[in-house]
Amino acid sequence: MWKKSTFERISAHIDLLETEMVELQKSLVALPALSPKSGGEGEKARADFMKRLLEGWGLGVNEYRAPDREAQCGYRPSLVARLKGRTDRPTLWIMTHLDIVPPGPRELWAHDPYQAVVLDGKVYGRGTEDNQQEMVASAFAVKTMLDLDLVPNMDVCLMLVADEETGSELGVDWLLKSHELCRPEDLVIVPDAGNKTGTMLEIAEKSIAWVKFTTTGRQVHASVPQDGNNALRAGARLLVRLDELLHEKYADEDPLFSPPKSTMEPTRKTENVPNVNTIPGEDVFWFDCRMLPKHSLDDLLHDMNVAAAEIEFDYRVQVEIETGQMVQAPEPTPKNAPVVRMLGKAVKAVHGAEPFTKGIGGGTVAAFFRRRGIPAVVWNRSEGKAHNPNEFSVIANMVADSKVYAHVFGQDSG
Ligand SMILES: [Zn+2]
């Protein structure tokens, strides 16, 4: 742990760096990093810029290039910049993403989304909050160590990845698969979601299952139902049956999540016949299920198949079950994992409020670490403006979060 006077010095120095942090935000806004899938050129320009900057500060930076024929330069760059600490076991990783999402309709923006505007303590522009705020905050926490000649308790690695917004296949997923970078004893912070007070530490997620049910009967004129087989009626029975059965079976709760239960919702319903006087021969609907991580998606599918078989038998129809997105959630990061404890302590010291742990409805990038048995926490202080028109970052949030990182640097993981 830093001595009180040392941390006061760190805090004061970070306050002095505010102008430089805002300047970096401006430079990054002017270097949009859009995935080719979103119609952009990839992250090369921004990665080159960050690499030069971090090397200029005296950090060793490794670049990793995931081949991508769709990108203009032929690859998608990710960077790792390392600041040596007293030990490299554990190493603290702070993962932020280089890429942004498209700004959307220009008329919804008060200013050019690619030209930062500073107003009332906020920086406006695409990417300012998601994820530049934390990229800048973590980088300047590292710079503070260099400026003040301080050595963190552990190696600190800034991991700047590509392709987060379109699935991470050519970003962190590729990086962890093709390079032995992180170990289970390491500490991973993914500052890509949070709450306004910066007190929420997200450590778990639900599994996601998108399942499509196609019921096939026989189409006839509505006046002679006995000659056909109404797929809508059978499908509707199936929907109600699934709704009852699944909610009965998966009724348990975990207070880490809100809602605390698994959710199993019928959602999409496609049109069957365009007119009223035809009995439909086909019925299609979808379920979106968010399951507590302890449930296996195989079991869920098995239960769905049992319900479908009953309907097939009772209504003499065929039911086909197909899956869309199916993501089994990894084991949650333990509440008492060192990274949770350390980040919690820093949040309390800097933001002055009690931190709490939380699970969410699925699909965080931290899963790539958790799946490898590496505890990861998703956190930051945010206004929730990611992907919105007129996206902004509150400068005070960026400065305060920078102090949170610096606080963690001084802690003991043991
Ligand atoms: Zn993000």
Side-chain angles (χ1 to χ4, degrees):
M1 197 80 158
W2 301 118
K3 274 194 290 183
K4 192 163 178 275
S5 59
T6 308
F7 192 65
E8 279 166 7
R9 207 148 56 88
I10 290 171
S11 261
H13 190 75
I14 290 175
D15 285 332
L16 285 179
L17 292 173
E18 181 182 307
T19 319
E20 268 186 69
M21 290 166 88
V22 172
E23 284 309 309
L24 178 53
Q25 270 278 27
K26 288 184 186 168
S27 305
L28 291 171
V29 169
L31 286 170
L34 268 177
S35 156
K37 275 186 208 148
S38 306
E41 293 173 5
E43 301 84 356
K44 183 183 186 300
R46 183 178 284 205
D48 288 350
F49 175 85
M50 284 305 295
K51 187 164 188 275
R52 266 199 312 276
L53 178 83
L54 296 169
E55 283 175 343
W57 292 352
L59 294 168
V61 183
N62 285 326
E63 181 175 346
Y64 302 88
R65 298 177 169 182
D68 182 4
R69 255 184 273 148
E70 282 180 55
Q72 208 170 42
C73 59
Y75 63 87
R76 307 289 293 282
S78 291
L79 305 176
V80 172
R82 185 180 290 262
L83 172 69
K84 292 300 286 174
R86 287 186 211 288
T87 169
D88 71 346
R89 283 182 184 272
T91 291
L92 171 68
W93 297 85
I94 301 169
M95 192 213 93
T96 52
H97 60 87
L98 290 159
D99 58 323
I100 57 167
V101 293
R106 175 64 180 85
E107 62 270 21
L108 295 179
W109 287 76
H111 310 280
D112 182 346
Y114 294 139
Q115 218 174 341
V117 171
V118 179
L119 208 66
D120 299 329
K122 298 167 186 154
V123 194
Y124 288 84
R126 176 51 91 224
T128 47
E129 187 169 78
D130 180 18
N131 196 205
Q132 290 153 213
Q133 174 181 302
E134 299 301 315
M135 184 181 294
V136 174
S138 53
F140 277 83
V142 165
K143 185 170 194 291
T144 299
M145 298 294 111
L146 298 165
D147 289 354
L148 301 181
D149 258 327
L150 293 167
V151 180
N153 259 346
M154 73 295 280
D155 276 17
V156 175
C157 283
L158 303 174
M159 183 190 268
L160 281 53
V161 299
D163 198 32
E164 195 275 340
E165 297 290 4
T166 46
S168 295
E169 201 189 327
L170 299 168
V172 68
D173 189 18
W174 173 85
L175 195 59
L176 295 181
K177 267 183 197 152
S178 32
H179 300 274
E180 297 280 320
L181 290 175
C182 311
R183 302 153 304 185
E185 72 264 30
D186 286 350
L187 316 164
V188 178
I189 300 175
V190 180
D192 198 25
N195 61 351
K196 289 191 181 191
T197 46
T199 48
M200 186 175 89
L201 312 186
E202 185 263 291
I203 57 167
E205 58 190 273
K206 290 177 178 172
S207 301
I208 303 178
W210 289 356
V211 188
K212 180 186 183 187
F213 298 88
T214 305
T215 304
T216 310
R218 190 146 54 88
Q219 179 177 322
V220 285
H221 194 283
S223 63
V224 286
Q226 73 277 13
D227 293 344
N229 195 356
N230 194 328
L232 173 59
R233 178 179 289 117
R237 292 283 181 186
L238 173 61
L239 190 152
V240 172
R241 181 89 194 99
L242 286 167
D243 204 30
E244 288 167 354
L245 180 93
L246 299 178
H247 282 96
E248 218 167 274
K249 175 147 183 195
Y250 299 99
D252 48 338
E253 302 190 1
D254 182 341
L256 193 58
F257 294 93
S258 72
K261 287 184 181 184
S262 300
T263 57
M264 291 145 286
E265 290 295 304
T267 52
R268 185 169 173 201
K269 178 82 185 74
T270 56
E271 192 184 32
N272 44 29
V273 287
N275 54 310
V276 180
N277 55 349
T278 295
I279 284 176
E282 188 180 85
D283 179 77
V284 179
F285 64 85
W286 291 77
F287 261 69
D288 175 307
C289 303
R290 309 289 167 126
M291 311 302 290
L292 294 179
K294 67 175 177 183
H295 297 304
S296 126
L297 294 185
D298 289 341
D299 288 350
L300 177 73
L301 272 181
H302 174 79
D303 294 332
M304 289 171 163
N305 272 295
V306 169
E310 284 171 13
I311 295 294
E312 284 184 320
F313 182 79
D314 291 349
Y315 292 85
R316 294 171 294 108
V317 289
Q318 248 101 57
V319 178
E320 192 190 353
I321 297 183
E322 292 164 274
T323 52
Q325 193 178 188
M326 294 292 278
V327 185
Q328 180 78 48
E331 280 287 310
T333 293
K335 278 182 188 169
N336 60 355
V339 65
V340 180
R341 223 177 46 234
M342 293 162 79
L343 184 58
K345 201 186 272 183
V347 161
K348 199 172 173 184
V350 176
H351 294 330
E354 201 61 48
F356 62 97
T357 50
K358 187 101 189 116
I360 63 158
T364 80
V365 70
F368 293 107
F369 295 96
R370 293 184 186 137
R371 218 161 269 142
R372 288 174 167 77
I374 306 163
V377 187
V378 179
W379 157 88
N380 70 3
R381 186 147 120 172
S382 108
E383 295 289 314
K385 294 298 168 199
H387 301 206
N388 286 18
N390 299 313
E391 176 181 352
F392 63 81
S393 157
V394 172
I395 294 166
N397 287 350
M398 179 167 66
V399 173
D401 279 358
S402 187
K403 294 176 187 177
V404 170
Y405 297 118
H407 193 282
V408 174
F409 297 171
Q411 290 186 42
D412 209 324
S413 69

